[in-house]
Amino acid sequence: SSSAAVAVFTAFGATLHGSPARLVLASLAAAATAAAVDSLGVSLVIAVTSGEPIGWSGLRFAAVCVWVSACSSMLGQLFVAALAVSLWLLPAVLVVVAAALAVFWHLSRVRTRHDDVATLYAFSEALVRTDPDDLVGALLRQTADLLRAERAELWLVLDDGRLQWSRLSQGTGVRTSLLDRADMPALIGEVLGGTDVHVLSAFTSGEHARELLTQQHARDGVIAPMGVGQGVLCALDRQGEVATFTATDARLLLSLTGHSAVALANAQLVERLNFDSTHDSLTGLLNRSGFRARLEHGLAGSSPLAVLLMDLDRFKEVNDTLGHHHGDLLLQHIARRLENVLRPTDVLARLGGDEFAVLVRKLDEQSVLELVERLQDALTLPLQLQGVDIEVGASIGVVLVEGTELRSTADAESIMQQVDVAMYAAKREGAGVQVYRDAMNDSSLRRLSLAGSLRSAIDERQFFLHYQPQVSLQDGRITGAEALLRWDHPTLGSVSPDEFIALAEQGGLIRELTRYVLDVALTDCAVWAAAGHPMAVSVNVSVRNLLEPDLAELVAELLALRDVPSSRLTLEITETHVMADPERTAQVLEDLADLGVSLSIDDFGTGYSSLAYLRRLPVSEVKIDRTFVADLSRDDTDTAIVEAITQLGHTLGLSVVAEGVEDQATQARLAALGCDTVQGYYIARPMSHVKLLSWMSAQPDVRSIDLPAPRQADPDAAPIQLA
């Protein structure tokens, strides 16, 4: 650089006794040349050692050096000129120099503050733009770059009390380990519990500081807390053998830890929100959204898939009996049991309520069915809640996705719809498990169409009643008729009550449908009475009706509207309906009995009634189910059951009705066993109210009469126990 400066000065041809202007320019050019050569040489050395080109940073460094050198040369010449003219000019020159230095110092402080703000802004921006999964790595890289450190470390306190230790070293990348609190260096613990920044060097005093440098094999370092008890950020080994960390570096690191703590907290919040959006809060399993995403990913592959949908049986009974808290505990236990059966690669989710879904890969149909069997075995193992042994089963639907043709047309929405259809088919048929077949979807579409048109069918009175007469075996008189509901759908034709009654219960329309049936039946009953046939009518009611506390008010309203005595209305309920919730149904039944309405237990013998409880119900009639009547004349077992039910009914003071009588031999057998009333095809097939009126008028030896008052049960009579 000196040779270059002399050469430039000589090129100007300046001499001490020559032109002053040429001398000044030559001096400035020589000084600038020397500074440029020195700065470019330094930049070249840095470029060679680091393997990076000089770039704009090197050129900016050279420009600054040239400018500073030129200014220094000007000041030097100013001093020389002042001394040559007069010593009295020297104070004035010193004042000018001092003012220039003060301005430079002030601008330097402003520039430093600006650079600090820019550094923090760039640091925050870098963390914001970073993928949350790489946030720790980005934080360490930024810290090492800004503090010109060879290594950076982050100690984070996790929710379980352990430490996550992440280290960034030059050339090795980021490594992370989990440590117990006992393995934490003593100085890290001190910084973690405080707010002070620690600058460490070879001359640092303090046993814990020297111990940390020794453990980390570091020359020096700077350590700052990320909030009390949250974490510690540190930079180790300042780049360059002669440089070390200063108090300025400590302040910068403390500022970085504040921004880092906010960035990590935001990342944890985003991670928690993402987790919560795809997972069930009760069981920790995937939810419907998370399961759908996994299914879509699986459909994009080529391996065979199977989707299972499980709906727990008897879960509602647990909720209603033990409360929702124990229902939640049951779901958590079920989730753990299912996880224990499944492979690590299988996907388990809780879709909501008591529905669980499973996604399995690389299994054929037989293997899937074996897995289903293991899942059912796990579910049926007894579980104790509040001292009660609980057993739950499940209805499981299965969809198999195999072959490129099916996969090319499959999507997550259609797969979930198909497995839902299969699950409901398994529940409806009591099969436990059903593999989806295309024919099932036709049935599902039919149910969907029926459910959609059910309300309009009620409003448009598409439903109608047929009646089957009931005859006394004692004198052959018609005692009443059972109303049988029918639906003639405008496009689907005749619809079975087994279909639309369940849909009405599920859709919340059973109250409207029951009101419609009662209104029509009582209207027809009034017509028969006006025609000289004042007999009773029997109407079936749903268990949902029995849970409505104002059912008796509805019945009273319709009896008054159609001017029919309450003694001519019999409401039929199944024993399973009565025993589903005996405490709630008992009050409704009492209200109906006080109204004067007769109550009949339908399908008696097929449920699980407690005879002692049944004795206290205000019923006046039991109906023997047709399954015991059909083979009565040929099956001794059915004969024994019918005889026992008849004796039980009479002991409790109840009238006994047998349905499903299809021949004379069965009717005679029932009469011999003491049955009171019969109905069935042998008497008459169901018919409209007009045809029933004509049929009654055409019977010369049959008279219509009012039902006798129900016989009162003997309060001292003991109930008969059936084996």
Side-chain angles (χ1 to χ4, degrees), residues 97-355:
V97 172
L101 290 176
V103 171
F104 179 79
W105 179 79
H106 177 72
L107 292 177
S108 177
R109 286 179 59 86
V110 172
R111 177 61 184 270
T112 300
R113 287 196 295 268
H114 177 270
D115 289 344
D116 289 343
V117 173
T119 298
L120 293 177
Y121 178 78
F123 180 79
S124 301
E125 280 292 298
L127 295 184
V128 169
R129 292 193 300 269
T130 301
D131 188 308
D133 295 336
D134 188 42
L135 183 61
V136 171
L139 189 157
L140 293 175
R141 286 190 292 271
Q142 289 288 319
T143 301
D145 291 343
L146 293 175
L147 292 172
R148 300 188 300 282
E150 295 181 4
R151 289 182 287 164
E153 295 183 357
L154 176 65
W155 306 71
L156 283 179
V157 180
L158 303 179
D159 293 338
D160 59 4
R162 293 187 298 171
L163 292 175
Q164 176 182 302
W165 175 40
S166 301
R167 167 187 283 191
L168 171 69
S169 300
Q170 297 293 338
T172 61
V174 178
R175 292 182 300 173
T176 299
S177 303
L178 293 179
L179 303 176
D180 292 329
R181 296 293 286 264
D183 300 328
M184 177 176 57
L187 183 60
I188 297 297
E190 293 177 7
V191 176
L192 185 65
T195 59
D196 296 334
V197 184
H198 293 254
V199 179
L200 312 179
S201 68
F203 306 102
T204 299
S205 61
E207 180 182 353
H208 293 164
R210 291 194 300 271
E211 178 185 4
L212 178 65
L213 290 176
T214 302
Q215 289 178 349
Q216 303 302 97
H217 304 287
R219 300 186 308 274
D220 54 4
V222 56
I223 306 174
M226 299 177 61
V228 178
Q230 297 181 21
V232 173
L233 181 62
C234 59
L236 300 173
D237 290 337
R238 185 65 173 265
Q239 293 177 353
E241 293 293 333
V242 296
T244 188
F245 294 104
T246 64
T248 301
D249 297 318
R251 289 193 297 270
L252 176 59
L253 182 62
L254 188 61
S255 299
L256 297 183
T257 57
H259 289 264
S260 300
V262 172
L264 288 172
N266 290 339
Q268 291 172 352
L269 177 60
V270 170
E271 182 180 359
R272 170 56 60 183
L273 291 176
N274 289 335
F275 182 88
D276 291 343
S277 67
T278 57
H279 287 75
D280 172 48
S281 60
L282 178 64
T283 61
L285 302 176
L286 288 172
N287 59 15
R288 185 178 295 273
S289 175
F291 185 79
R292 182 190 177 96
R294 295 290 187 91
L295 177 56
E296 289 175 346
H297 183 268
L299 290 173
S302 58
S303 61
L305 298 178
V307 180
L308 284 60
L309 179 62
M310 292 175 282
D311 185 84
L312 301 183
D313 299 329
R314 298 183 296 278
F315 176 73
K316 184 178 182 300
E317 298 176 15
V318 176
N319 260 348
D320 293 344
T321 305
L322 301 180
H324 290 281
H325 171 68
H326 289 87
D328 291 344
L329 291 178
L330 175 62
L331 292 174
Q332 291 172 339
H333 284 295
I334 292 298
R336 303 290 83 81
R337 284 189 178 183
L338 296 177
E339 284 180 321
N340 291 336
V341 174
L342 297 173
R343 303 172 300 175
T345 56
D346 298 333
V347 179
L348 175 64
R350 178 185 174 227
L351 303 187
D354 58 348
E355 284 190 348

Side-chain angles (χ1 to χ4, degrees), residues 42 56 82 98 106 203 253 292 353 401 406 429 517 639 643 652:
V42 171
W56 285 106
H106 177 72
F203 306 102
L253 182 62
R292 182 190 177 96
V401 184
L406 178 58
E429 298 171 12
V517 173
T639 299
E643 183 177 14
L652 298 178

